[in-house]
Amino acid sequence: MAAVTMAGALNRALHDAMDDDDRVVVFGEDVAALGGVFRVTDRLMERFGEGRCFDTPLAESGIVGTAIGMAMYGYRPVVELQFDGFSYPAFEQITSHLAKIPNRSRGAVQLPVVVRIPFGGGIGAVEHHSESPEALYAHTAGLRIVTPSTPSDAYGLLRDSIASPDPVVFFEPKRRYWSKEDVDLPVSTEPMGTAVVRRQGTTATLIAYGPTVATCLEAADAAAEEGWDLQVVDVRTLVPLDIATIAAAVEQTGHAIVVHEASVFGGMGAEIAAEVVEQAFWTLEAPVLRVGGFDIPYPPAQLEHYHLPDVDRVLDAVERSLSY
């Protein structure tokens, strides 16, 4: 069994998908000759040629528009938008066309497009390289929204996304690109649309996705020294949301804390908290709490460690929940 990084697992998933299906094409800014800013597309052009892995101009709207057109002609495009903040120029293409054409055509036109977006902070980058825009896309009907937290999940969820007949926005937690896991690829994981319990516990339930899953696991380890037995749920797929698994986990503890990097106001935590209240109201022993970024534009790199949820802020929320 070998130690695999998340970036390496994503690269292998793209390689295997292209090897299995000639219709899979990869394109975006610097994905071919350079192999991508984070090397996720490394050596794909050498292996599959310039016809199936190619560089595009710096025009995100054009990248997604091209993917929509190619999907209409039978291809299965996987495009990379270099950073989260760069997805906004493509927002209109994604929300007005990619998400809506399948429904607008009553299913006659399917768009199996995957839009890969490195997201979140923690690497010392600037504002529009460190954002968490997942709620913007999750609110758009017609899209599936996926985010892995481990290398094996990165492989499995990306393969699922490429095979999906529906458009997928695939958020890759950039500060976890170099996290490692001992795993033999290819690997089968739980399918897209399912949440998983990463750590069993009885004191309180932490609900997280993408980059904050590892933070919550660290918090659970630290909490064990205090005598708390914390449970950690990895949401994995924001749309569709597996509320059944999340609610069942909350029912075991009666205490729920949702943790994400995005600003708390209007974030995915609000939706998850509302769903938990609807589904698990009678078992709750305290209000559902949220831990996230502050309601400010993303701060300068030197200050981002104050902005991002860390172990101490998670444990403070657990203490507040248990004190009710």
Side-chain angles (χ1 to χ4, degrees):
M1 195 170 291
V4 180
T5 65
M6 180 178 288
L10 291 164
N11 177 269
R12 176 66 183 275
L14 290 170
H15 177 281
D16 290 355
M18 296 176 79
D19 210 29
D20 290 348
D21 189 341
D22 291 341
R23 299 172 299 171
V24 178
V25 292
V26 173
F27 54 94
E29 298 157 1
D30 295 324
V31 302
L34 181 66
V37 174
F38 298 101
R39 304 298 186 268
V40 171
T41 56
D42 192 33
R43 291 194 291 270
L44 294 181
M45 184 186 72
E46 296 173 23
R47 169 66 178 81
F48 297 100
E50 296 179 354
R52 296 188 60 198
C53 180
F54 54 90
D55 290 324
T56 67
L58 299 177
E60 289 79 9
S61 180
I63 293 171
V64 176
T66 301
I68 293 171
M70 293 184 72
M72 288 178 171
Y73 279 87
Y75 290 93
R76 305 185 79 87
V78 183
V79 301
E80 177 179 300
L81 305 183
Q82 280 191 341
F83 289 96
D84 30 52
F86 297 175
S87 74
Y88 303 141
F91 189 75
E92 198 273 338
Q93 283 283 6
I94 295 173
T95 58
S96 294
H97 305 295
L98 182 62
K100 292 184 173 61
I101 286 175
N103 182 66
R104 193 179 295 151
S105 67
R106 300 296 184 267
V109 178
Q110 291 187 324
L111 296 180
V113 174
V114 179
V115 180
R116 295 181 39 246
I117 303 176
F119 88 120
I123 64 168
V126 295
E127 174 185 341
H128 49 286
H129 293 63
S130 305
E131 298 185 355
S132 299
E134 62 270 22
L136 296 175
Y137 296 97
H139 186 67
T140 302
L143 300 174
R144 292 174 182 262
I145 311 298
V146 177
T147 178
S149 69
T150 68
S152 58
D153 243 8
Y155 180 90
L157 286 172
L158 185 54
R159 291 300 305 268
D160 274 3
S161 298
I162 295 171
S164 171
D166 302 315
V168 177
V169 179
F170 194 90
F171 283 105
E172 299 169 2
K174 64 174 76 78
R175 67 168 157 146
R176 305 297 180 195
Y177 271 139
W178 302 278
S179 62
K180 292 182 178 179
E181 179 184 3
D182 290 330
V183 60
D184 288 328
L185 299 178
V187 64
S188 295
T189 58
E190 292 81 1
M192 181 168 52
T194 59
V196 299
V197 177
R198 296 285 181 203
R199 187 184 194 280
Q200 296 288 347
T202 58
T203 304
T205 301
L206 307 178
I207 304 161
Y209 55 84
T212 55
V213 173
T215 305
C216 288
L217 290 170
E218 292 172 21
D221 289 341
E225 299 176 5
E226 305 292 332
W228 294 340
D229 184 18
L230 300 185
Q231 187 179 46
V232 179
V233 178
D234 182 353
V235 177
R236 301 175 74 242
T237 305
L238 302 180
V239 179
L241 184 67
D242 181 9
I243 189 59
T245 297
I246 296 169
V250 173
E251 288 171 355
Q252 295 173 6
T253 66
H255 297 270
I257 297 97
V258 188
V259 184
H260 56 55
E261 286 192 10
S263 298
V264 169
F265 184 81
M268 278 301 301
E271 178 62 28
I272 294 171
E275 294 273 1
V276 167
V277 169
E278 286 188 20
Q279 299 295 324
F281 179 78
W282 297 109
T283 61
L284 286 173
E285 298 183 15
V288 182
L289 301 182
R290 293 171 287 163
V291 179
F294 301 115
D295 295 328
I296 58 172
Y298 199 85
Q302 296 88 342
L303 301 175
E304 66 177 351
H305 61 285
Y306 293 113
H307 180 70
L308 297 172
D310 60 12
V311 168
D312 287 341
R313 286 173 60 192
V314 173
L315 295 181
D316 285 347
V318 172
E319 187 173 21
R320 280 197 292 140
S321 179
L322 296 177
S323 67
Y324 272 90

